[in-house]
Amino acid sequence: MATVLICRRFPRLSRVTTFSTTAKCKAESGSSKSKQKKEENPETANTGTESAAKIQLLNPLDYRVLYNPSAYAKSRAASQQQAARNSGQALGDTFTSPGTAQVQHTFGTASSQALPPLRNALPKPKFKPLLEQTVSARLSAAQTEEEAENEKTETHDSKEDPRVFQKGRPEYRSLSYDKSELIETLPLEEGDSILHSVAVCKGSQSPGTITDYFRKLSRLPVEQHAALVSKPGFNTLCRSAVKNIGLFSTSDLIDILKACVRLVVPPTHPLLNACENEFCRRVWDMNLDQLLLVADCWRCLERSVPSYLSILFSYANMHWKDLTLPQFVQLVYIIGEGRRSPTDLTQKVESMILKYLDSFTLEEVGAICLGLFKSLSGISDHVMRKIADRVSLQVEDMSTYALVNVLKMLRYTRMDHLPLLKELGKVIPARIPTINIQGIMHITLTCSSLHYFDEGVLAAVALSLPSKVTYCRSKDAAKFLWSFGCLDYEPPNEEEFYSSLIEQMHRKLHEFGKFPEHLLTGLLGLAFVKRFPEELIDYALRDEFVQKTRGSKYELKKDLFTLSKSVEIECPSYQGSRLPPQLYQEITKMVLNFAEQEIYVRPEIVEATSLLESMLGGPEYVKNHMILPHTRSSDLEVHLAMDGRPIPFNLKDSIADKKLKDIGVSLTDDLMTQLIKGRSNSQSPVEVENEARTPGRERGEEARTPHAADRAALSGGSLIADARLQVKPKSGHGLEAPPTLTLNRQPWGVKLAIQVSNRNHYCYCSKRLLGLHCLKRRQLQQLGYVVVELPFWEWFPLLKRTRLEKLSYLHYKVFDPALLSRA
């Protein structure tokens, strides 16, 4: 029974068996197996209240993953000033070393009963003591290796890492606040004396004295800062500063602001409100260094100051020609941290990038890209290509953090820079074990967004991810699933990779109410590779969740539509929630309206449709539409009989269609004329019926058929003779449904779904089909269609050739004898 459950956990094709079903089966197996369950899945046994069906990533006892969950990498040298602070954080602050990751990977694979058999997994050990010895030995070796590789370690601080570029030039000291500056510590007694003096004088000190007090108090030991900010004496000092705010010199006011940064004053503190108003008033009397320094202090305080930034950008716009290289980079950093793009600076930013591009350090290039990315600043292809050209020559010398920032902007501009992407494939795989989750996610997402498939990068990500998966945010897990599904890549450790991410999606279920787009992103990525976790799908299709999607800043209706219809086709046994019919109709109408305006009218599709109609005998033999609207691309549908003759099915008049099925003849113009006016005296009733069925007479004689010469030229006239189905008359039957409704149950025919593909259906510079289009073709086949592709590398060049060459190509594609055998 256990073996069956494991196999059904994530079945390879339908993959729709629920977690809850597995739990129910386990419960029914009786209490006699409880001891065995605890041994095979100790974490589940210990949780008690949690479902026994959930996958748990297991860690050896007394083993802690040394890994920073906040984000990703930078050079160790640039983060040494954070060592003291980081040493006290929970759950470690460094990466999982390759050796450590391997030990956890091995243990987790061997211990989790709920996981399906892995393609490349190690066998489950039979003797527990031997396993413990092996784990202990490998842990020791891993720790030694980690110490030896310590200099290569990359850690991350989400506030400090974007500022690494400031360490590269001394000029930044006047433009930014340096937390690493060495300051002589003030004795506690002197601090108490200052507060006592403030209390005695009750705010009557001069502005110079107040400033000096702030400078000195900010030099108290760090552990005293929180207590100081809450003391009455400090509040009295702040009130004195607010009262005299207009009397401070600009340099004194900046010193007070820097003291607030060092003391970590709350961003909503009244003193900071007064300082912001005063700085906004003084902007035009300050120099650019001072303005940038103040903006940097606001960033350190995590205070939003849109008014100040707006004035700063106006000032910078007026003094643009005077900006030095460090001032420009610091300004772009501030623009990014402010999450807003001043439109009047866009062109000037580009000109400055080109001016200083060869002089930037690699960290400054990364900082500029991050600033542009965070502020959603548009940048021309020309400038982005220049940046990528510069970086592609020095990828090995670039820190991972700076490189990831460049990739973010590459992704944002949709720049397919092949030299940089190739260098990425050479450098990144070896770095993956030292990069934290968010960095790995951005690298993976860049590949999928640009449709760039690099198996080395993806395999390295897949092998590293299971040991780090618990640090994935809902966004990270969703983007990993989407990226691998989009590129249609299932790694060597696919079962472990996917099961760990699916379980993380379960853990993060509470986050999807706020970010519904992430759940749909992850589920679509899974659907691309034929994986359908039922519990998550049921949650995503519930009315409550559908309502939450309406509040998203993204349009999620089409994603819901694609997911729900895919489940309907590929998981017939699914019993969970479904979208309401009215929503289906609404989304279908929206998709079809878009298709009529944007897809059906594409030249390559229009040309193929026209030529097929000409070749087969008319529009009733070809239908240009979306067979599967949820896949958002069109098809040219053609029906063939088993003898290879085309079947008319695209009949606009449904009544005529029913009559055709009833009497078993084709209604031609000649036949209608004869029915109305009476048949010719020279024709018998049998001849009239035969004329209606004769291919050359269906639309008039060959000489009167518009493109008869084209059809005859293809096969010496044989195409015309064989291109129609001779429908046998039926008797004793009433009206039947149109052919489009009955063909699914007619074993004597084959339905062709002709795909006119384009480059966007494939990975970049390859013939590897993307996940969405793999899903579409798979579902068409499940519905009984034979997929015929007109690949862009064949069809697009033919569009410039003669009509006869195009017809010959289409004839070869449609009347391929292998199609009938495949059907």
Side-chain angles (χ1 to χ4, degrees):
M1 182 63 179
T3 303
V4 174
L5 288 173
I6 292 174
C7 293
R8 288 174 58 83
R9 184 62 174 84
F10 291 105
R12 183 65 181 83
L13 293 178
S14 72
R15 290 188 173 95
V16 74
T17 305
T18 65
F19 294 94
S20 58
T21 303
T22 306
K24 182 178 178 180
C25 293
K26 286 186 178 180
E28 291 173 352
S29 65
S31 60
S32 62
K33 297 183 181 179
S34 60
K35 183 177 180 180
Q36 178 184 352
K37 288 182 181 179
K38 291 180 180 179
E39 290 177 354
E40 293 181 341
N41 201 342
E43 270 198 4
T44 305
N46 291 339
T47 55
T49 58
E50 293 194 11
S51 170
K54 286 192 174 182
I55 298 173
Q56 298 293 333
L57 297 180
L58 306 178
N59 294 326
L61 296 176
D62 301 323
Y63 171 43
R64 298 176 66 195
V65 179
L66 297 178
Y67 174 73
N68 176 12
S70 62
Y72 44 95
K74 69 166 184 148
S75 64
R76 183 175 178 79
S79 62
Q80 285 179 340
Q81 70 269 19
Q82 299 298 321
R85 182 186 64 189
N86 292 345
S87 63
Q89 293 182 355
L91 202 55
D93 301 310
T94 56
F95 67 100
T96 305
S97 69
T100 307
Q102 182 181 5
V103 172
Q104 185 178 2
H105 165 83
T106 302
F107 189 92
T109 300
S111 303
S112 179
Q113 181 200 16
L115 291 176
L118 305 184
R119 185 182 298 169
N120 294 329
L122 294 177
K124 185 174 181 179
K126 297 181 179 179
F127 303 104
K128 191 173 180 180
L130 178 60
L131 173 63
E132 292 175 349
Q133 293 174 12
T134 304
V135 170
S136 177
R138 291 192 180 184
L139 277 174
S140 178
Q143 291 168 357
T144 303
E145 182 180 351
E146 183 179 355
E147 292 173 1
E149 297 290 324
N150 209 24
E151 290 304 314
K152 299 180 182 178
T153 302
E154 293 188 339
T155 58
H156 176 76
D157 185 305
S158 60
K159 295 186 181 66
E160 288 302 306
D161 279 359
R163 306 164 63 83
V164 171
F165 72 94
Q166 296 171 350
K167 314 301 178 184
R169 299 180 191 270
E171 294 91 335
Y172 288 110
R173 293 173 186 170
S174 62
L175 307 175
S176 60
Y177 177 81
D178 186 3
K179 289 184 177 181
S180 64
E181 180 184 0
L182 296 177
I183 300 176
E184 183 181 356
T185 303
L186 186 76
L188 293 177
E189 296 78 10
E190 189 169 348
D192 292 337
S193 175
I194 291 173
L195 294 179
H196 177 72
S197 176
V198 169
V200 170
C201 296
K202 296 182 179 179
S204 61
Q205 298 93 341
S206 66
T209 301
I210 294 174
T211 304
D212 187 57
Y213 283 170
F214 271 103
R215 291 193 194 103
K216 290 180 178 180
L217 290 174
S218 67
R219 289 162 42 203
L220 285 170
V222 175
E223 59 271 15
Q224 298 295 321
H225 289 177
L228 171 68
V229 172
S230 61
K231 287 184 178 180
F234 183 77
N235 290 329
T236 301
L237 182 63
C238 290
R239 286 195 293 270
S240 298
V242 171
K243 182 179 178 181
N244 297 280
I245 196 76
L247 302 178
F248 293 103
S249 67
T250 299
S251 59
D252 284 349
L253 197 59
I254 291 174
D255 283 347
I256 291 175
L257 189 62
K258 291 170 68 175
C260 290
V261 174
R262 195 172 293 114
L263 292 170
V264 196
V265 173
T268 57
H269 197 283
L271 174 60
L272 299 183
N273 296 337
C275 286
E276 181 184 353
N277 293 333
E278 186 63 19
F279 278 122
C280 286
R281 189 181 67 81
R282 297 190 187 195
V283 164
W284 300 104
D285 299 324
M286 297 165 63
N287 61 49
L288 189 55
D289 281 11
Q290 290 175 322
L291 292 172
L292 291 171
L293 174 58
V294 170
D296 199 61
C297 289
W298 291 130
R299 168 57 189 153
C300 294
L301 287 163
E302 298 184 0
R303 181 181 171 93
S304 177
V305 286
S307 298
Y308 178 83
L309 292 181
S310 179
I311 302 173
L312 167 62
F313 297 152
S314 297
Y315 184 101
N317 192 33
M318 293 182 63
H319 298 83
W320 194 259
K321 294 182 179 179
D322 301 328
L323 260 65
T324 64
L325 185 153
Q327 287 175 336
F328 169 70
V329 178
Q330 180 68 15
L331 178 64
V332 175
Y333 163 75
I334 294 298
I335 289 174
E337 297 306 305
R339 299 301 199 279
R340 54 167 300 188
S341 174
T343 54
D344 54 343
L345 293 182
T346 301
Q347 290 187 347
K348 294 179 179 179
V349 167
E350 289 195 2
S351 66
M352 292 293 280
I353 291 175
L354 295 176
K355 177 181 178 180
Y356 290 125
L357 184 57
D358 293 334
S359 302
F360 291 138
T361 65
L362 292 173
E363 292 299 325
E364 286 172 333
V365 172
I368 289 170
C369 287
L370 182 61
L372 296 174
F373 178 79
K374 284 185 174 182
S375 61
L376 301 179
S377 298
I379 186 173
S380 68
D381 287 352
H382 173 68
V383 175
M384 190 64 234
R385 192 166 295 280
K386 289 288 186 181
I387 293 174
D389 288 341
R390 162 82 195 277
V391 171
S392 64
L393 300 176
Q394 297 178 281
V395 170
E396 291 186 1
D397 302 325
M398 202 169 193
S399 73
T400 304
Y401 184 80
L403 179 57
V404 167
N405 291 336
V406 174
L407 295 180
K408 289 178 181 178
M409 202 59 196
L410 201 71
R411 184 177 85 227
Y412 181 72
T413 57
R414 306 291 296 176
M415 174 64 66
D416 51 347
H417 194 279
L418 195 56
L420 177 54
L421 293 172
K422 286 184 176 179
E423 288 299 313
L424 193 71
K426 297 176 183 178
V427 173
I428 285 297
R431 294 191 189 184
I432 289 294
T434 67
I435 306 175
N436 290 354
I437 280 294
Q438 289 183 36
I440 298 174
M441 182 272 288
H442 281 295
I443 292 169
T444 310
L445 186 58
T446 297
C447 290
S448 67
S449 296
L450 299 180
H451 296 171
Y452 183 72
F453 179 80
D454 187 308
E455 187 168 9
V457 172
L458 296 177
V461 170
L463 291 173
S464 178
L465 191 64
S467 63
K468 303 179 178 183
V469 74
T470 53
Y471 302 110
C472 284
R473 302 166 299 173
S474 58
K475 176 181 179 179
D476 299 325
K479 297 297 185 183
F480 280 124
L481 291 171
W482 168 266
S483 297
F484 275 69
C486 176
L487 297 174
D488 191 39
Y489 178 65
E490 298 200 32
N493 63 331
E494 60 177 297
E495 296 300 339
E496 181 187 27
F497 173 79
Y498 280 111
S499 60
S500 65
L501 281 171
I502 290 171
E503 180 60 19
Q504 184 65 4
M505 296 280 280
H506 276 271
R507 293 191 192 99
K508 296 296 181 180
L509 202 61
H510 62 281
E511 295 183 12
F512 295 129
K514 185 176 181 181
F515 304 105
E517 62 273 10
H518 296 333
L519 178 58
L520 294 179
T521 294
L523 290 177
L524 285 177
L526 286 166
F528 293 162
V529 291
K530 299 181 286 187
R531 293 176 183 269
F532 298 91
E534 182 170 320
E535 287 186 349
L536 293 176
I537 291 171
D538 176 65
Y539 179 83
L541 298 181
R542 291 177 190 171
D543 290 340
E544 303 92 317
F545 184 82
V546 172
Q547 290 300 321
K548 290 177 182 177
T549 65
R550 298 181 186 276
S552 172
K553 61 181 179 179
Y554 302 100
E555 174 52 66
L556 300 178
K557 289 181 181 178
K558 289 186 288 187
D559 291 344
L560 284 167
F561 186 43
T562 301
L563 176 64
S564 185
K565 280 296 185 182
S566 295
V567 172
E568 183 179 310
I569 293 171
E570 300 202 52
C571 308
S573 62
Y574 171 75
Q575 298 296 322
S577 303
R578 298 182 185 273
L579 294 182
Q582 60 270 23
L583 188 57
Y584 271 143
Q585 296 172 2
E586 175 188 342
I587 303 173
T588 301
K589 183 178 179 180
M590 177 176 66
V591 171
L592 294 180
N593 286 339
F594 173 80
E596 289 177 356
Q597 299 174 19
E598 301 291 337
I599 298 178
Y600 300 158
V601 296
R602 291 175 181 169
E604 66 273 17
I605 296 177
V606 171
E607 181 76 352
T609 305
S610 174
L611 289 169
L612 284 170
E613 289 176 354
S614 174
M615 183 180 76
L616 299 177
E620 64 268 27
Y621 292 91
V622 184
K623 188 171 184 179
N624 177 13
H625 69 132
M626 288 183 171
I627 298 175
L628 302 177
H630 65 278
T631 60
R632 312 173 200 179
S633 57
S634 68
D635 315 90
L636 302 179
E637 186 172 355
V638 171
H639 294 181
L640 300 178
M642 290 308 294
D643 59 3
R645 298 179 182 183
I647 303 174
F649 70 99
N650 185 24
L651 306 176
K652 298 180 180 180
D653 191 339
S654 61
I655 298 177
D657 185 11
K658 291 180 180 180
K659 288 183 178 179
L660 169 66
K661 296 296 294 184
D662 188 37
I663 65 177
V665 296
S666 298
L667 297 178
T668 65
D669 292 339
D670 288 347
L671 181 59
M672 287 298 297
T673 301
Q674 293 163 12
L675 289 173
I676 294 172
K677 297 182 179 181
R679 67 178 182 271
S680 171
N681 293 331
S682 61
Q683 288 181 310
S684 67
V686 175
E687 288 174 331
V688 172
E689 184 176 334
N690 287 340
E691 180 180 343
R693 287 200 237 135
T694 301
R697 300 288 183 96
E698 279 192 328
R699 300 179 59 191
E701 293 297 332
E702 185 172 317
R704 288 180 287 153
T705 304
H707 303 297
D710 291 330
R711 299 198 301 274
L714 290 175
S715 57
S718 62
L719 173 60
I720 301 174
D722 296 335
R724 303 291 183 271
L725 171 67
Q726 295 187 10
V727 184
K728 297 180 179 180
K730 296 182 180 181
S731 60
H733 294 281
L735 295 179
E736 295 182 10
T740 52
L741 301 179
T742 61
L743 193 62
N744 284 338
R745 56 179 186 269
Q746 292 176 346
W748 44 266
V750 55
K751 301 173 294 181
L752 303 185
I754 301 175
Q755 315 279 294
V756 183
S757 66
N758 61 58
R759 287 176 176 82
N760 289 333
H761 295 179
Y762 290 86
C763 292
Y764 179 65
C765 290
S766 80
K767 296 180 181 179
R768 184 185 185 89
L769 205 61
L770 292 172
L772 175 60
H773 301 285
C774 288
L775 172 142
K776 175 184 176 179
R777 298 188 185 190
R778 186 174 72 237
Q779 292 179 1
L780 284 170
Q781 290 168 356
Q782 287 185 251
L783 293 177
Y785 286 87
V786 173
V787 177
V788 177
E789 182 181 10
L790 308 184
F792 70 88
W793 57 86
E794 293 177 357
W795 181 240
F796 279 48
L798 272 174
L799 295 176
K800 301 178 182 179
R801 307 299 291 271
T802 66
R803 178 182 179 85
L804 186 58
E805 287 176 295
K806 288 180 279 191
L807 284 167
S808 178
Y809 174 79
L810 291 175
H811 183 270
Y812 165 77
K813 285 287 188 177
V814 171
F815 295 104
D816 182 359
L819 295 180
L820 296 177
S821 62
R822 282 162 54 189

